[in-house]
């Protein structure tokens, strides 16, 4: 049985009944396609966790719901296989995807992990990015839950217009920025003011909360380059995240590979 968090989300993102039937009849959770390494790139050099694991992240070749996970690997300088699935290959790969969706994370020989937020929390715990104690972890969760809600709205209203623009693209984006983005950015800023110090979202060091905010704000800046003018705490948070050396290397590589395409 698949549970969704809200109606809108379930209508636009959950697969058709046929696919759900397929999921139910599929007994074995398997990785997407272990032999296909064509579009894979290697991540950073070494992991921060003591146990060296083999990670393979499968997602499309855009930020979407995969970028937060890539940022976690990047900031923790963890080696992983970054499989970028091409749209034309998705139909075939989808057959073996447990919920017929990505992102999917394969860790060693374990059954694959699905659902971007579950994967983010798993990785954040592994990489010590989830908050120092239970109280701090809960604060990180406040931020992640809020950001996830924001991301769901972005995925429903804006992402389809970016990938497959309609005639209403401009109005949809303007409406999104004026209403939904404003609503969430204000709330995220309040959480930063309450829980963080020195520009961090929670506590006094980088956590997965900072990374999710960074990812979402990046999406917003692409829609409106001046969007942070009204959010000084979000601006400070972004500057703090950009100070991170591992992330700087990641962004540099990302810019390079974008320019080489
Ligand atoms: N709740 C899921 C949503 C996953 C999802 O919507 N994935 C989309 C890409 S962002 C997907 O796989 N779309 C392809 C399809 O449904 O065929 C998560 O957070 O991982």
């Amino acid at each position: 049985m698949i549970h969704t968090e809200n109606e809108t989300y379930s209508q636009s993102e959950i697969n058709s009944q046929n696919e759900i039937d397929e999921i139910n009849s599929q007994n074995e959770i398997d990785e997407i396609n272990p032999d296909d390494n064509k579009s894979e790139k290697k991540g950073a050099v070494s992991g921060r966790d003591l146990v060296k694991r083999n990670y393979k992240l499968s997602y499309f070749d855009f930020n979407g719901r995969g970028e937060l996970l890539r940022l976690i690997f990047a900031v923790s300088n963890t080696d992983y296989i970054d499989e970028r699935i091409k749209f034309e290959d998705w139909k075939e790969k989808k057959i073996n995807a447990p919920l017929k969706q990505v992102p999917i994370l394969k860790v060693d020989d374990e059954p694959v992990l699905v659902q971007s937020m579950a994967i983010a929390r798993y990785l954040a715990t592994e990489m010590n990015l989830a908050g120092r104690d239970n109280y701090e972890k809960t604060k990180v969760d406040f931020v992640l839950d809020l950001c996830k809600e924001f991301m769901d709205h972005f995925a429903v209203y804006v992402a389809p217009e970016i990938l497959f623009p309609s005639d209403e693209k401009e109005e949809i984006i303007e409406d999104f920025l004026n209403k939904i983005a404003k609503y969430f950015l204000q709330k995220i800023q309040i959480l930063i003011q309450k829980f963080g110090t020195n520009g961090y979202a929670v506590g006094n060091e980088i956590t997965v909360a900072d990374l999710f905010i960074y990812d979402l704000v990046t999406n917003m800046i692409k829609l409106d380059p001046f969007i942070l003018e009204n959010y000084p705490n979000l601006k400070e948070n972004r500057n703090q995240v950009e100070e991170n050396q591992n992330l700087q290397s990641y962004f540099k590589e990302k810019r390079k590979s974008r320019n080489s395409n």
Side-chain angles (χ1 to χ4, degrees):
M1 182 106 176
I2 293 183
H3 298 277
T4 59
E5 288 182 2
N6 62 49
E7 263 309 294
T8 321
Y9 187 52
S10 74
Q11 278 162 15
S12 54
E13 293 208 339
I14 296 295
N15 299 303
S16 68
Q17 188 59 47
N18 282 350
E19 284 170 347
I20 293 170
D21 291 344
E22 222 180 289
I23 294 162
N24 289 337
S25 68
Q26 188 184 325
N27 294 326
E28 226 176 82
I29 292 180
D30 202 2
E31 67 182 303
I32 291 186
N33 187 347
D35 298 319
D36 183 4
N37 285 345
K38 274 190 292 242
S39 58
E40 294 165 0
K41 291 175 204 154
K42 282 280 176 185
V45 188
S46 66
R48 199 169 122 183
D49 50 341
L50 293 176
V51 182
K52 175 97 175 96
R53 301 199 186 283
N54 295 307
Y55 295 107
K56 179 179 174 181
L57 173 67
S58 301
Y59 192 67
F60 298 117
D61 192 15
F62 55 74
N63 288 357
R65 294 185 195 269
E67 189 61 13
L68 170 61
L69 311 175
R70 294 183 191 123
L71 289 172
I72 296 173
F73 283 121
V75 79
S76 60
N77 203 18
T78 303
D79 197 13
Y80 74 111
I81 295 171
D82 182 10
E83 184 190 34
R84 306 289 181 120
I85 299 170
K86 295 194 180 86
F87 285 137
E88 60 266 33
D89 298 334
W90 173 233
K91 200 172 165 208
E92 197 192 322
K93 287 180 180 285
K94 193 169 178 167
I95 296 167
N96 290 323
L99 296 185
K100 311 296 166 206
Q101 288 178 324
V102 279
I104 290 176
L105 182 72
K106 178 91 180 146
V107 185
D108 295 331
D109 296 325
E110 296 294 324
V112 293
L113 302 178
V114 294
Q115 292 290 350
S116 55
M117 294 318 297
I119 297 172
R121 287 187 165 94
Y122 162 79
L123 288 176
T125 304
E126 289 287 295
M127 320 294 181
N128 300 324
L129 292 165
R132 275 176 305 188
D133 53 37
N134 202 18
Y135 196 60
E136 211 172 74
K137 280 189 172 100
T138 308
K139 293 177 190 169
V140 168
D141 271 343
F142 291 171
V143 179
L144 291 186
D145 285 356
L146 189 61
C147 287
K148 155 82 163 68
E149 239 182 277
F150 192 7
M151 177 57 99
D152 287 346
H153 282 81
F154 179 78
V156 168
Y157 297 111
V158 179
E161 294 295 329
I162 294 173
L163 292 171
F164 313 104
S166 74
D167 292 345
E168 282 93 54
K169 180 181 170 184
E170 298 305 322
E171 292 103 278
I172 289 173
I173 289 178
E174 205 183 317
D175 197 49
F176 178 86
L177 287 171
N178 288 335
K179 294 178 187 156
I180 297 175
K182 215 176 202 171
Y183 172 90
F184 281 103
L185 292 175
Q186 278 170 354
K187 287 200 177 338
I188 294 170
Q189 174 151 283
I190 290 170
L191 291 185
I192 294 177
Q193 285 164 354
K194 277 191 174 309
F195 299 139
T197 46
N198 295 329
Y200 292 109
V202 176
N204 194 19
E205 60 186 8
I206 201 160
T207 64
V208 62
D210 297 293
L211 300 178
F212 206 1
I213 295 169
Y214 191 88
D215 180 29
L216 281 162
V217 169
T218 302
N219 289 333
M220 293 311 116
I221 289 175
K222 283 181 193 162
L223 302 178
D224 172 6
F226 304 106
I227 197 158
L228 286 193
E229 292 308 311
N230 294 324
Y231 305 99
N233 297 89
L234 290 178
K235 213 168 179 178
E236 192 192 2
N237 176 251
R238 193 166 180 82
N239 291 339
Q240 185 61 278
V241 169
E242 284 177 349
E243 291 282 305
N244 182 279
Q245 293 294 313
N246 289 343
L247 288 176
Q248 281 182 15
S249 311
Y250 172 71
F251 296 138
K252 201 167 152 195
E253 282 304 308
K254 201 170 164 174
R255 275 195 298 273
K256 244 198 282 176
S257 73
R258 227 182 0 234
N259 291 338
S260 66
N261 281 336

